[in-house]
Amino acid sequence: MAGMSDIAYFKTETSDRLFAERLDTTSDERLALVLSKVAEHLHAIIRETRPTLNDWRATIEFLTEVGHLCDDRRQEWVLVSDLLGMSTLVDALNSDRPDKATPNTMRGPFYRADAPLMQQGESISLDGAGTPVDVTIHLMDLDDRPVAGARVETWQANAQGFYENQQPDLQPEHNLRGHFVSDDAGRISYRTIRPSGYEVPKDGPLGDLLAKLGAPLCRPAHVHFQVTANGFETLTTQIFDGEDPNLGKDPLFSVKPGLIGAFEQDGTEADAALKLDIDFHLNPARQELDA
């Protein structure tokens, strides 16, 4: 029959290329490239692992369950991205910085843009529940010069591992969150409490799957920061408790060199506040190229 010799038949070894050749790259070349790469790697996984039809149906059922748990209050696909390390990989590829610059981490789901302005030395612990910690932050550029007038937002879990917006009926509004402005020496100081680590949600299909495989689901204790300053890239990062036993098993893969803090005893009295000293080195903002 006429034209039959022009048909590209499906073959297992070239299945992904057959799909890619059918895409119209003129409408959205970038999207076509990404989708063809997705198909390339998915087809490669299938050829390598050779799932049975029952295996593949179970995979589809898992993906369906994930979709059913997505609504205005919960985004299970974000959790999939986080726990498979993909969110951190995307963030790392988009925030490549010199070794001296403090590394970025993900902002996480508990950030609030309306954290109140606090004064130097104030406490962000509004209920006073937990071991007190005096935090001192030094903001510097890559030449160790102080960065004045920077906005530093901070938020953290309480001593039971819960953020204030997880427990609106149990914690005061804006508990353990606030923002500060660095002084002429690039310094910020405030009081808080030592946070606790916590488990990521495991009541969904991904948590159930990872638990069966023995994957760690407990985040080490940490404090979130977001730093914005004129002339510098925004820094979104976390400082982790160096004594947390889960430090090397963060399920979100956010622990990086330079982000491990020491909660040290400040004074000899047993009830004295701990102290946490932090140095942040900000990376200069990238200059836009002239058109």
Side-chain angles (χ1 to χ4, degrees):
M1 296 178 62
M4 291 293 288
S5 61
D6 297 330
I7 295 178
Y9 291 101
F10 185 93
K11 297 179 180 179
T12 58
E13 65 272 16
T14 59
S15 56
D16 55 292
R17 292 200 294 274
L18 182 60
F19 167 77
E21 289 168 358
R22 296 182 176 185
L23 300 178
D24 179 7
T25 60
T26 61
S27 58
D28 192 327
E29 184 176 1
R30 173 66 176 172
L31 179 59
L33 172 63
V34 172
L35 188 56
S36 64
K37 284 295 180 182
V38 170
E40 176 186 335
H41 290 286
L42 288 177
H43 284 231
I45 291 171
I46 291 171
R47 283 193 290 266
E48 181 179 350
T49 61
R50 302 183 69 85
T52 65
L53 289 176
N54 285 337
D55 292 337
W56 195 243
R57 291 190 188 100
T59 300
I60 299 300
E61 289 172 1
F62 170 81
L63 299 176
T64 301
E65 286 185 65
V66 171
H68 286 163
L69 275 180
C70 296
D71 55 31
D72 292 340
R73 298 177 61 86
R74 177 165 178 167
Q75 235 300 347
E76 190 75 4
W77 277 115
V78 172
L79 188 64
V80 170
S81 175
D82 290 349
L83 295 185
L84 295 185
M86 295 183 290
S87 297
T88 295
L89 178 59
V90 171
D91 180 78
L93 291 173
N94 283 277
S95 58
D96 187 31
R97 291 174 177 155
D99 289 341
K100 190 170 183 178
T102 301
N104 233 52
T105 68
M106 294 181 298
R107 191 165 69 178
F110 302 113
Y111 171 78
R112 289 181 59 174
D114 61 347
L117 173 64
M118 311 288 285
Q119 301 303 311
Q120 298 276 4
E122 278 195 270
S123 177
I124 63 171
S125 177
L126 303 184
D127 57 9
T131 302
V133 179
D134 289 325
V135 179
T136 302
I137 301 172
H138 294 92
L139 299 172
M140 295 167 280
D141 64 15
L142 299 186
D143 294 316
D144 294 327
R145 294 173 298 203
V147 177
R151 174 188 170 97
V152 179
E153 299 169 81
T154 184
W155 63 104
Q156 65 173 78
N158 64 8
Q160 285 73 48
F162 294 100
Y163 292 82
E164 154 263 355
N165 46 354
Q166 289 180 289
Q167 296 182 315
D169 297 328
L170 298 178
Q171 294 189 50
E173 177 81 353
H174 295 125
N175 190 40
L176 297 172
R177 64 176 74 236
H179 81 267
F180 299 82
V181 177
S182 61
D183 62 19
D184 290 342
R187 188 178 66 94
I188 288 169
S189 62
Y190 68 94
R191 174 165 283 200
T192 183
I193 58 97
R194 191 173 195 168
S196 175
Y198 52 86
E199 280 191 327
V200 297
K202 62 177 184 179
D203 57 338
L206 182 63
D208 182 59
L209 175 64
L210 294 181
K212 287 180 181 177
L213 296 174
L217 295 174
C218 291
R219 293 220 66 201
H222 56 278
V223 181
H224 291 269
F225 297 95
Q226 182 162 280
V227 183
T228 52
N230 290 333
F232 296 92
E233 292 180 349
T234 296
L235 170 65
T236 304
T237 197
Q238 301 167 46
I239 295 296
F240 294 87
D241 187 339
E243 296 183 5
D244 194 296
N246 296 305
L247 195 63
K249 300 180 290 185
D250 179 22
L252 270 58
F253 307 95
S254 293
V255 178
K256 302 175 183 179
L259 299 184
I260 300 175
F263 289 79
E264 299 176 327
Q265 194 70 39
D266 189 10
T268 58
E269 298 180 10
D271 59 349
L274 301 175
K275 65 176 182 177
L276 175 64
D277 293 328
I278 303 169
D279 290 341
F280 285 147
H281 285 90
L282 305 184
N283 198 45
R286 290 179 173 84
Q287 299 296 318
E288 296 293 337
L289 297 177
D290 294 333

